[in-house]
Amino acid sequence: MNPLEKPIVNWFKRNKRDLPWRTTTPWGVMVSEYMLQQTPVNRVLPKWIEWMERWPTPKDLAAATPAQVITAWGRLGYPRRALRLHAAAQIIAEDFNNEVPEDLETLQTLPGIGEYTAAAIAAFAFDQRTLVMDVNIRRVLTRVIDGNEHPKPAPTSRERARRLALLPEKNAHIWAAATMELGAMVCTSKNPKCELCPVISACNWRKNGYPKSDLIRKSQDWHGTDRKCRGTIIQALRESESLTENAIKKLWPEESQVEKALKTLQEDLLIEAISRKRYRLPA
């Protein structure tokens, strides 16, 4: 038996946050997993509630227009996720009788669902025994077992094999949720609260003297980036039915960056040209 399971799961039962997607439908879990990709819980929470009230089933979201979906996504970032979720909802409504599919292979055929997201949906929506490898889980186990501060950027086959060996035969979904919560609340990337950790006595990172990671973890400067420019354009189009290219160029200091953003946003189907040099969100 995995000796870490009991103390971490018991800690989880006492300390877990009351997150609404933990007691929802498989569709609610799926929506949360799309939203939580690269976006923190505190920003996702109000938006998830809005979406589930407005579109409680895949069929409801499938009937929305892309413009409605992008507008409702708000400032969650990476709005292509919204379009992928919309496309997945259309497939589920049409091909799967409005029910989120349960098996990993089928889940991964849906737009926006890769290996991790499929494993998470299968675990948290259907209580399946899948290997969920999010950054919080990986950080907890890298510290406790491997004695390193941070995991490598992507899981290696060796890491997967070692984590699979820890996976409980029963209630593996609870183990996944518990280790994820421990990483989010206690074993954080910066300033971990080690004194609150239920497995501190077993932690090899602590035993090694908390060595610093060799990995250089840079945070991207959001201001002035192409992504910021794209986000500024989308937000302006959320607030207007359409805008001319000249009006859009007044939103941003670098004209060439705006021209590039308009081109890539059209390629990503996040905006559309409705006449010569006038743009709107996709109909």
Side-chain angles (χ1 to χ4, degrees), residues 114-153:
E115 183 179 3
Y116 165 75
T117 303
I121 293 170
F124 302 136
F126 303 111
D127 298 348
Q128 291 183 27
R129 185 178 182 269
T130 60
L131 186 62
V132 182
M133 297 276 283
D134 99 313
V135 66
N136 288 309
I137 294 173
R138 295 184 63 221
R139 184 172 56 253
V140 167
L141 298 180
T142 292
R143 288 175 176 174
V144 175
I145 295 170
D146 303 333
N148 298 321
E149 183 183 19
H150 293 297
K152 293 180 179 180

Side-chain angles (χ1 to χ4, degrees), residues 218-257:
K218 294 181 179 179
S219 58
Q220 183 184 20
D221 185 5
W222 162 250
H223 300 287
T225 61
D226 289 348
R227 189 174 147 232
K228 172 68 171 175
C229 180
R230 284 164 53 102
T232 299
I233 294 169
I234 288 177
Q235 184 58 33
L237 290 173
R238 287 188 183 109
E239 297 166 357
S240 305
E241 286 190 11
S242 66
L243 289 171
T244 65
E245 184 171 321
N246 284 336
I248 292 170
K249 284 180 176 177
K250 292 177 182 178
L251 303 171
W252 193 259
E254 292 291 334
E255 187 172 301
S256 62
Q257 207 170 6

